[in-house]
Amino acid sequence: MWGLRWLVAGAIFVIIWAIGSDVPLIFRLAAGQRLAPGFGWAVTAGVVFRLVLIGAAGAVLLRAPRILHYIRWHDSAVLAMNRGDYGRAIAAFDKAVDGGIEHPNARFWRAWSHMNLEHYDRALEDFDALIARWPRRIGSHSGRGSALHGMGDYDAALKSYDRALRLASLPWAFWTPRLASLSYNRGQTRFANGDCDGALTDFSRLIRLAPRKSYGWAARGRVHRKLNCHDRAIADFDKALKLAPDSTWARFERGLAYADSDRPAPAIEDFDALAAPASPDDMRFRAIFHRGRARLALGEDAHAAADFTDALEFMPGDPDVLYGRAFALWRLKAGDAALEDVNAALSARPDDVGSLFLRGYIHLDRSDYPAAVGDFDRAAALEPDEASHEANRAGARVMAGHFDGALADCTRLFDRPACEGMAYATRGLIRLHQGALAEAIKDYEQAVALDPDTASVRYGLGVCKLRAGRETEGRVDIDAALAADPDVARDMARFRVTP
């Protein structure tokens, strides 16, 4: 019965709509009553609906100037955004927002224009206003998380991403693409916040939701590289590059993963591809710089120095590049040029321990022992937990003839846990220079027992045995040290430990 009533009511509504607005209201009401007595409620509903439409049309007409104002400035802002002119886009969005029409799009895209200009605080204001007015808009919570990430407030950013993911996961949301992008954003924030396990979870979820998106594989590879899981990282970067062969980010990260896992040759291949003139300047700089480091690992010092020189064309005075070139030049025995570069690096970054360490060795090679002691002393003050600084300072003091100071450094090494091998080797060096060969041999034998894989220790033992007249034994130790590290003779010569 009620199904028939609804059918008849619908037919009456359609007939009344078809009669047209030129028929007086009273006649339309009467027509409805004649067509279906007892269905006056349906007729009235139809008429009221028509009146509502007429009223809405009138309201639109009254607001037409403001609507046209909004459309004009909104579209102008979008065009400016597409051109990358975010300042002009923001000015146009300001006019659209202030025109009296409350619509979320203008404020939302104004926020993202601020994001592109790294005006994170202003973007956050817009996202907060959107959430206050439309609290269930997923994009506003996600954008708020991005703004907070840009400001470095990772904990607050994660809360915003969590809220966005809860909204996107509701049964009626159907936002699989949005879930993927939110997983990516939250993973990036977790990674920046040091939560590698959480980042892996998010990026793995992204891969499940969107397995053909290369950036998910590349992002997860980056986390694996951070965790020193180099093979897994390389496998992820391989997958990313299979999906997007032109992805410079994935290729660069794969090059770093190869370099981190002591595979400089394939790393150089990746960096070669990125160092081509067609690449953007910032990527060319990174590729050339890291190619120089990979070439250092291969022992291609001249090519490495050339790469660092090329990198300085992009970033003059960069302390990392200056340090790299100084290291290459030092190994090429160009001590004066190396010293000039490392001094420039320390002028830019005075407390860089690596540069102090290198300069100390350059001073040793130049027989400037007081300067070497000063650099190792400063390095030890900056990194008091690093035992090698005290060992190097002791060696420099030995070369300067300051045996008491060297023995004091050695005593401190014995007091450190897990540094006994280094302490015995250092004391063996001191006793060798004091001419106490028997005691030096005992110390070096203790050092070899504790650190059997350290070539310099075995080489020092061999030299002591040679000087003590135990030539056959000494040659065996020296040959074993040279087999383990062909450069050990050069390294020990700066401390005058020679056959």
Side-chain angles (χ1 to χ4, degrees), residues 329-351:
L329 291 170
W330 171 62
R331 295 213 314 203
L332 290 167
K333 301 188 183 302
D336 292 341
L339 185 60
E340 183 179 346
D341 275 347
V342 78
N343 282 337
L346 283 166
S347 294
R349 203 160 52 196
D351 293 335

Side-chain angles (χ1 to χ4, degrees), residues 325-389:
R325 190 170 68 174
F327 192 86
L329 291 170
W330 171 62
R331 295 213 314 203
L332 290 167
K333 301 188 183 302
D336 292 341
L339 185 60
E340 183 179 346
D341 275 347
V342 78
N343 282 337
L346 283 166
S347 294
R349 203 160 52 196
D351 293 335
D352 182 62
V353 173
S355 296
L356 289 167
F357 188 88
L358 175 59
R359 192 171 69 177
Y361 270 85
I362 294 172
H363 286 315
L364 280 176
D365 290 344
R366 294 160 61 89
S367 301
D368 190 352
Y369 303 122
V373 170
D375 280 335
F376 294 135
D377 194 41
R378 190 170 162 198
L382 290 168
E383 287 185 349
D385 295 331
E386 179 54 54
S388 64
H389 300 317

Side-chain angles (χ1 to χ4, degrees), residues 148 152-162 189 193:
L148 289 164
D153 192 349
Y154 300 129
D155 292 334
L158 289 171
K159 290 179 182 178
S160 288
Y161 288 136
D162 288 344
T189 300
N193 205 29

Side-chain angles (χ1 to χ4, degrees), residues 149-365:
H149 179 112
M151 298 171 72
D153 192 349
Y154 300 129
D155 292 334
L158 289 171
K159 290 179 182 178
S160 288
Y161 288 136
D162 288 344
R163 173 63 174 160
L165 280 163
R166 283 196 297 271
L167 290 171
S169 301
L170 294 173
W172 55 84
F174 301 109
W175 277 111
T176 297
R178 183 64 63 82
L179 281 171
S181 65
L182 286 170
S183 297
Y184 175 78
N185 289 341
R186 188 174 68 177
Q188 290 286 68
T189 300
R190 281 176 163 174
F191 181 67
N193 205 29
D195 181 9
C196 289
D197 291 337
L200 278 179
T201 299
D202 279 333
F203 294 141
S204 296
R205 182 188 195 190
L206 165 59
I207 289 169
R208 288 196 303 273
L209 292 169
R212 299 195 62 78
K213 297 292 186 183
S214 66
Y215 59 82
W217 297 96
R220 192 175 72 176
R222 190 181 179 200
V223 181
H224 280 140
R225 187 173 77 82
K226 178 75 171 179
L227 293 172
N228 295 320
C229 300
H230 302 302
D231 289 337
R232 291 183 180 180
I234 291 167
D236 278 344
F237 294 134
D238 285 343
K239 182 66 174 180
L241 286 166
K242 184 177 179 181
L243 293 168
D246 296 331
S247 173
T248 56
W249 176 37
R251 191 172 299 280
F252 177 71
E253 289 285 342
R254 188 177 70 177
L256 293 178
Y258 278 128
D260 291 344
S261 57
D262 296 325
R263 286 174 273 184
I268 289 173
E269 290 181 13
D270 278 335
F271 296 140
D272 278 341
L274 296 170
S279 297
D281 283 352
D282 61 336
M283 181 53 71
R284 288 188 68 197
F285 164 73
R286 294 179 185 181
I288 292 170
F289 170 67
H290 285 283
R291 186 176 65 187
R293 296 183 65 183
R295 283 175 165 167
L296 278 178
L298 280 177
E300 299 175 356
D301 300 325
H303 290 301
D307 275 339
F308 293 129
T309 299
D310 289 342
L312 286 169
E313 294 293 324
F314 294 95
M315 293 286 286
D318 184 278
D320 289 320
V321 183
L322 287 167
Y323 169 82
R325 190 170 68 174
F327 192 86
L329 291 170
W330 171 62
R331 295 213 314 203
L332 290 167
K333 301 188 183 302
D336 292 341
L339 185 60
E340 183 179 346
D341 275 347
V342 78
N343 282 337
L346 283 166
S347 294
R349 203 160 52 196
D351 293 335
D352 182 62
V353 173
S355 296
L356 289 167
F357 188 88
L358 175 59
R359 192 171 69 177
Y361 270 85
I362 294 172
H363 286 315
L364 280 176
D365 290 344

